[in-house]
């Protein structure tokens, strides 16, 4: 009889503890503290030459964080600048037209071609006369005809070149020159932006969370070289069970408890996912283990105590109304 009484007492105590646990857990949401993260990618694959910060440092907006080797990109910028200068000079030449010396040289070339054509005609006439007498072959006459045609073609070419210089540059040629120059200038501007990004600056004020590469490493193009935690305060990423989802709204106030913190932190529900997800392993308990949960983000009120809280630590969120009740 005494053993039966002791057994009943143990069972009653266990049921009481289980009931208290379920009651305490009814309004508690489990999750982790997180910060908004910004990743700064590598514009090109170049070795890291300098790292000016370390993980955990607080940095200001536009502060220099690290430097990638700029020599290759600087050479490309220099080549693009030379190409812009060349195309700019060519466009100026098109706009200003030919120089007087160039026109004089073209006239002299035409006179030389005309003189050659005159001599070729005389030679052809002599060959034709001799052929009539039967003193030369037909091949000699054919060669003289070919020489005359070639001399006339050279004369026509020289005359066309002179006419082109005298009539000036066509509008279409100037338009093509302007387009080529604009393309070269755009390429130069793009390379200059890439060169400036080899000096990696903080895009926002925050705290350095991760520096995955060391001096001498060559990150791949697009790889994150710096990860920053930004914002005035972290947020709690928690999971809302099905039993609480219907009554939980954005703007609800919570108390966030963290192991090691003397007092809970105030927080506000910012976002609640519209689609459910399976409850993560650290939020599984009892009958709730098989239920769906909705991910929610609770923004902690910014203060001196919250600005240095680390990311990833477990936390517990309790609705402020539930706590008072």
């Amino acid at each position: 009889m005494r053993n039966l009484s002791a057994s009943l007492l143990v069972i009653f105590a266990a049921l009481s503890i289980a009931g208290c646990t379920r009651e305490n857990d009814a309004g508690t949401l489990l999750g982790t503290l997180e910060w908004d993260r910004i990743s700064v990618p590598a514009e090109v694959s170049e070795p890291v030459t300098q790292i000016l910060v370390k993980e955990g440092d607080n940095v200001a907006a536009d502060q220099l964080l690290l430097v990638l080797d700029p020599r290759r990109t600087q050479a490309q910028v220099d080549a693009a600048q030379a190409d812009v200068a060349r195309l700019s000079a060519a466009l100026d030449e098109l706009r200003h037209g030919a120089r007087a010396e160039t026109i004089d040289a073209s006239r002299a070339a035409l006179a030389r071609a005309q003189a050659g054509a005159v001599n070729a005609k005389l030679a052809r006439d002599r060959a034709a006369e001799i052929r009539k007498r039967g003193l030369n072959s037909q091949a000699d006459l054919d060669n003289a005809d070919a020489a005359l045609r070639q001399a006339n073609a050279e004369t026509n070419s020289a005359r066309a070149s002179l006419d082109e210089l005298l009539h000036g540059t066509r509008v279409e040629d100037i338009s093509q020159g302007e387009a080529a120059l604009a393309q070269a200038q755009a390429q130069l501007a793009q390379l200059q932006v890439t060169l400036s990004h080899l000096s990696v600056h903080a895009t926002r004020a925050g705290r350095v969370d991760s520096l995955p590469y060391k001096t001498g490493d060559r990150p791949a193009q697009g790889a994150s070289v710096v990860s920053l935690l930004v914002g005035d305060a972290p947020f709690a990423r928690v999971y809302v069970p099905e039993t609480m989802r219907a009554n939980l709204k954005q703007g609800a106030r919570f108390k966030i408890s963290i192991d090691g913190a003397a007092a809970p932190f105030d927080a506000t529900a910012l976002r609640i996912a519209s689609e459910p997800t399976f409850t993560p392993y650290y939020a599984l308990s009892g009958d709730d283990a098989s239920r769906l949960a909705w991910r929610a983000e609770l923004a902690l009120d910014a203060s001196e105590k919250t600005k240095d809280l680390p990311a990833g630590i477990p936390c517990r969120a309790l609705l402020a109304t539930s706590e008072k009740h």
Side-chain angles (χ1 to χ4, degrees):
M1 187 70 178
R2 184 177 303 172
N3 292 337
L4 180 59
S5 300
S7 299
L8 291 174
L9 183 60
V10 170
I11 293 173
F12 177 77
L15 292 175
S16 300
I17 294 173
C20 292
T21 302
R22 284 194 296 270
E23 181 179 359
N24 291 339
D25 292 342
T28 302
L29 306 180
L30 303 179
T32 57
L33 281 188
E34 303 293 344
W35 286 83
D36 289 329
R37 296 175 184 269
I38 290 179
S39 295
V40 183
E43 290 287 331
V44 293
S45 179
E46 294 292 352
V48 178
T49 58
Q50 287 181 284
I51 299 178
L52 305 175
V53 294
K54 59 183 182 296
E55 293 180 356
D57 284 354
N58 292 317
V59 296
D62 203 39
Q63 180 176 336
L64 182 61
L65 306 178
L66 59 84
V67 178
L68 302 176
D69 190 349
R71 291 176 295 176
R72 189 194 310 272
T73 306
Q74 182 63 62
Q76 294 173 347
V77 168
D78 294 341
Q81 288 175 335
D83 198 34
V84 167
R86 178 182 63 82
L87 291 174
S88 179
L91 180 59
D92 289 340
E93 182 178 0
L94 289 175
R95 287 172 174 166
H96 296 155
R99 297 174 55 181
E101 295 84 352
T102 304
I103 294 175
D104 291 341
S106 182
R107 283 176 174 157
L110 175 60
R112 182 171 60 251
Q114 289 173 335
V118 170
N119 290 334
K121 188 176 185 308
L122 293 175
R124 190 267 177 197
D125 292 343
R126 286 194 296 269
E129 183 66 26
I130 297 174
R131 178 59 183 161
K132 289 179 181 180
R133 299 175 184 177
L135 300 178
N136 63 353
S137 65
Q138 182 63 38
D140 294 333
L141 180 59
D142 293 340
N143 290 335
D145 286 335
L148 177 58
R149 289 194 296 270
Q150 181 177 357
N152 289 333
E154 291 176 353
T155 300
N156 293 334
S157 176
R159 183 179 292 108
S161 297
L162 178 59
D163 291 341
E164 182 180 3
L165 294 176
L166 293 175
H167 294 158
T169 306
R170 297 175 58 185
V171 175
E172 295 82 356
D173 293 335
I174 294 178
S175 298
Q176 291 178 7
E178 290 173 343
L181 177 59
Q183 182 180 5
Q185 289 172 335
Q187 180 68 21
L188 174 60
Q190 180 181 359
L191 288 171
Q192 288 174 332
V193 170
T194 300
L195 180 62
S196 66
H197 286 177
L198 293 180
S199 297
V200 179
H201 294 78
T203 54
R204 287 179 57 183
R207 186 166 71 248
V208 179
D209 178 58
S210 175
L211 292 167
Y213 298 97
K214 306 302 180 186
T215 302
D217 287 345
R218 183 191 291 270
Q221 183 177 7
S224 174
V225 293
V226 181
S227 178
L228 298 177
L229 302 180
V230 299
D232 297 327
F235 62 89
R237 178 177 291 142
V238 299
Y239 291 84
V240 181
E242 186 269 341
T243 54
M244 294 181 60
R245 178 63 186 91
N247 296 321
L248 185 61
K249 308 295 182 185
Q250 291 182 345
R253 297 290 290 173
F254 283 84
K255 293 290 186 180
I256 307 296
S257 300
I258 302 170
D259 291 339
F265 301 95
D266 294 321
T268 303
L270 286 184
R271 289 178 289 274
I272 305 174
S274 59
E275 297 292 335
T277 182
F278 287 99
T279 307
Y281 70 91
Y282 52 77
L284 297 177
S285 62
D287 296 336
D288 294 334
S290 62
R291 296 187 178 184
L292 292 173
W294 282 258
R295 189 177 69 181
E297 295 180 0
L298 316 177
L300 276 65
D301 295 348
S303 67
E304 289 296 321
K305 294 181 179 180
T306 59
K307 68 178 184 179
D308 293 326
L309 289 174
I313 62 174
C315 66
R316 300 175 300 281
L318 183 66
L319 271 170
T321 54
S322 298
E323 185 183 52
K324 292 178 181 178
H325 177 70

